[in-house]
């Protein structure tokens, strides 16, 4: 058991099991959210700290990189020495942190660095939270004064492939007595695990659902994303409709433009047709280079044309600003350099 995986209520219950007063649970809970190390907690005696040592989270910032645009990439290390990356992005409306949900990934998308090593393991809810707590503290925030307003589950890993821990994370991070981040400010990005999208809809959390589509036909999608062999685009879009029915939230489509692969006029027309009448928004992403992959990005001007074509087709669309490319912090660039060399 790790204390970071528990809600405030569960922590208080644990204290009772240990024969300690309930308020110790609240103190622990706050200390964890404030990313304090056990040694720093002044309200605990030495003996108490000793008692808590085994179960207190030990994740830490292993390294930090800063880009000129203000984006910061963090390597976070866990008890078993595995490392994941998370990224802080500064926008006018607030700060967004991009969190990892798995060490590595087993989805095998052609253009993405996170999958090169395969899946090492799932992260627990507490380990996903820990990334947020550490980044919040590192930027001068605490539980009361958060420096983070938005969360995107778009780091390494496929969130819906780690369904239970991700659900627990969503519940814990939005708890009023915890970080209290509005579920509307949380985006979950998936390559399209249809059964899990429906399960997520049934939970009615109301988080933003983002689909990594990247192609307009199943044949083309299969070339980029192995998951397309399991679920068709039609099935994914039907699951998105279900998500909208259940939550009232519009969904988002991510479409990474790859030169000569999915960026033709015909693709734009097909994409408009697919999405016509749906309550969604398309984020176009310019492919970020991944050195092991031979894919190139569409030029900016071409991307703008593609975006215009979508808009003319009645689809809401924008090109996403890419942040943190020079520190390998942009979409698809997250990898574990320390393990993969
Ligand atoms: N597994 C989830 C979460 C990863 S999110 C998912 O597939 O959605 C990362 C987003 O960046 C996804 O939309 C992914 O398709 C996209 N992406 C991956 N590699 C990229 C690259 N090299 N350049 C631009 N976007 C990339």
């Amino acid at each position: 058991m790790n204390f970071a995986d528990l809600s405030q209520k569960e922590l208080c219950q644990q204290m009772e099991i240990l024969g300690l007063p309930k308020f110790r649970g609240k103190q622990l809970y706050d200390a964890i959210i404030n990313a304090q190390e056990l040694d720093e907690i002044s309200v605990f005696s030495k003996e108490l700290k000793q008692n808590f040592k085994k179960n207190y989270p030990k994740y830490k910032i292993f390294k930090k990189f800063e880009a000129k645009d203000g984006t910061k990439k963090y390597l976070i290390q866990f008890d078993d020495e595995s490392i994941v990356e998370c990224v802080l992005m500064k926008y006018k409306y607030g700060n967004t942190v991009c969190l990892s949900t798995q060490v590595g990934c087993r989805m095998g998308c052609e253009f993405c660095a996170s999958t090169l090593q395969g899946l090492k393991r799932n992260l627990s809810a507490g380990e996903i939270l820990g990334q947020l707590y550490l980044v919040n503290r590192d930027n001068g925030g605490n539980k009361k004064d958060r420096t983070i307003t938005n969360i995107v589950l778009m780091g390494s890993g496929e969130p819906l492939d780690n369904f239970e821990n991700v659900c627990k994370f969503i519940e814990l991070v939005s708890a009023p007595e915890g970080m209290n981040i509005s579920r509307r400010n949380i985006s979950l990005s998936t390559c399209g695990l249809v059964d899990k999208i429906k399960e997520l809809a049934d939970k009615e959390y109301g988080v933003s659902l983002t689909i990594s589509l990247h192609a307009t036909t199943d044949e083309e999608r299969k070339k980029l994303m192995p998951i397309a062999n399991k679920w068709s685009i039609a099935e994914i879009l039907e699951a998105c409709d279900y998500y909208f029915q259940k939550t009232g939230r519009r969904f988002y489509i991510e479409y990474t433009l790859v030169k000569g692969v999915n960026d033709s006029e015909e693709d734009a027309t097909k994409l408009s047709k697919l999405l016509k009448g749906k309550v969604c928004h398309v984020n176009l992403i310019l492919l970020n280079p991944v050195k092991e992959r031979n894919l190139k990005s569409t030029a900016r001007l071409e991307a703008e044309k593609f975006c215009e074509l979508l808009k003319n087709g009645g689809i809401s669309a924008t090109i996403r600003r890419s942040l943190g490319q020079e520190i390998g912090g942009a979409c698809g660039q997250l990898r574990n350099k320390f393990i993969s060399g």
Side-chain angles (χ1 to χ4, degrees):
M1 182 202 24
N2 192 298
F3 288 153
D5 288 322
L6 305 182
S7 66
Q8 189 185 66
K9 196 169 157 215
E10 288 167 335
L11 258 177
C12 290
Q13 283 165 353
Q14 274 305 316
M15 293 303 107
E16 287 188 319
I17 293 169
L18 294 173
L20 291 165
K22 244 173 134 179
F23 73 87
R24 292 294 182 201
K26 285 193 179 164
Q27 290 175 329
L28 264 174
Y29 188 69
D30 286 353
I32 291 169
I33 294 183
N34 288 326
Q36 284 186 282
E37 284 179 29
L38 194 53
D39 283 340
E40 294 175 317
I41 310 175
S42 55
V43 291
F44 294 161
S45 65
K46 259 198 181 142
E47 193 197 346
L48 212 46
K49 286 178 191 170
Q50 200 53 38
N51 264 347
F52 291 152
K53 202 165 181 175
K54 199 170 130 254
N55 307 102
Y56 196 83
K58 288 166 201 74
Y59 41 63
K60 58 172 190 279
I61 295 175
F62 182 75
K63 221 171 158 101
K64 174 169 129 183
F65 306 86
E66 265 188 81
K68 287 191 204 84
D69 61 26
T71 303
K72 297 179 194 171
K73 179 169 87 167
Y74 293 89
L75 301 183
I76 308 291
Q77 189 174 47
F78 300 110
D79 298 21
D80 67 346
E81 305 214 320
S82 40
I83 291 175
V84 296
E85 302 183 339
C86 63
V87 181
L88 177 77
M89 293 160 285
K90 298 188 171 164
Y91 293 101
K92 278 195 207 91
Y93 55 80
N95 292 335
T96 295
V97 68
C98 175
L99 303 178
S100 291
T101 53
Q102 295 179 317
V103 184
C105 184
R106 60 179 179 143
M107 294 298 129
C109 299
E110 266 306 307
F111 39 79
C112 184
S114 300
T115 201
L116 291 167
Q117 294 282 307
L119 176 66
K120 299 275 189 240
R121 70 172 176 89
N122 282 329
L123 293 183
S124 68
E127 288 173 327
I128 307 173
L129 283 165
Q131 299 167 56
L132 170 71
Y133 297 157
L134 289 167
V135 172
N136 185 44
R137 175 178 178 170
D138 190 64
N139 288 277
N142 55 34
K143 177 175 152 178
K144 266 210 213 107
D145 296 303
R146 286 191 267 113
T147 52
I148 314 289
T149 51
N150 295 64
I151 295 173
V152 295
L153 297 176
M154 298 189 185
S156 72
E158 166 50 50
L160 296 184
D161 189 34
N162 183 13
F163 191 78
E164 280 186 15
N165 291 333
V166 166
C167 285
K168 176 124 207 231
F169 163 78
I170 293 170
E171 288 169 20
L172 291 176
V173 80
S174 57
E177 69 280 8
M179 271 298 229
N180 195 15
I181 293 193
S182 160
R183 291 179 179 174
R184 301 180 81 84
N185 292 353
I186 303 174
S187 293
L188 183 150
S189 180
T190 176
C191 62
L193 308 185
V194 167
D195 49 347
K196 298 292 174 193
I197 294 173
K198 290 182 182 160
E199 265 185 63
L200 187 73
D202 288 335
K203 297 258 184 197
E204 298 186 29
Y205 291 140
V207 298
S208 295
L209 177 68
T210 298
I211 304 291
S212 297
L213 196 67
H214 311 319
T216 53
T217 65
D218 290 322
E219 280 323 298
E220 289 304 312
R221 197 162 188 264
K222 280 177 196 167
K223 291 184 199 158
L224 291 173
M225 306 173 74
I227 193 69
N229 292 299
K230 183 152 186 210
W231 304 106
S232 68
I233 293 177
E235 287 168 320
I236 293 175
L237 293 177
E238 188 206 303
C240 291
D241 287 341
Y242 182 69
Y243 195 84
F244 176 69
Q245 276 168 30
K246 276 276 176 179
T247 63
R249 304 289 326 264
R250 74 168 172 172
F251 60 91
Y252 296 80
I253 296 286
E254 282 176 310
Y255 193 96
T256 297
L257 290 163
V258 189
K259 189 176 178 177
V261 174
N262 62 5
D263 63 347
S264 69
E265 250 180 60
E266 198 192 334
D267 287 309
T269 313
K270 278 194 200 148
L271 187 57
S272 308
K273 277 205 185 119
L274 273 178
L275 301 177
K276 189 108 212 164
K278 300 204 180 287
V279 194
C280 70
H281 176 84
V282 178
N283 277 319
L284 296 171
I285 309 173
L286 294 174
L287 182 86
N288 293 306
V290 171
K291 71 172 187 295
E292 292 82 352
R293 309 298 204 198
N294 221 352
L295 301 169
K296 293 206 169 55
S297 172
T298 304
R300 178 87 207 179
L301 212 63
E302 299 300 313
E304 278 165 17
K305 274 190 212 153
F306 195 95
C307 193
E308 278 312 304
L309 286 171
L310 290 182
K311 286 188 199 158
N312 293 341
I315 307 297
S316 153
T318 42
I319 303 176
R320 183 186 285 168
R321 204 154 57 100
S322 177
L323 295 174
Q325 216 188 77
E326 81 214 56
I327 52 170
C331 293
Q333 292 186 309
L334 300 185
R335 66 170 76 225
N336 196 329
K337 276 204 182 106
F338 285 80
I339 291 171
S340 64

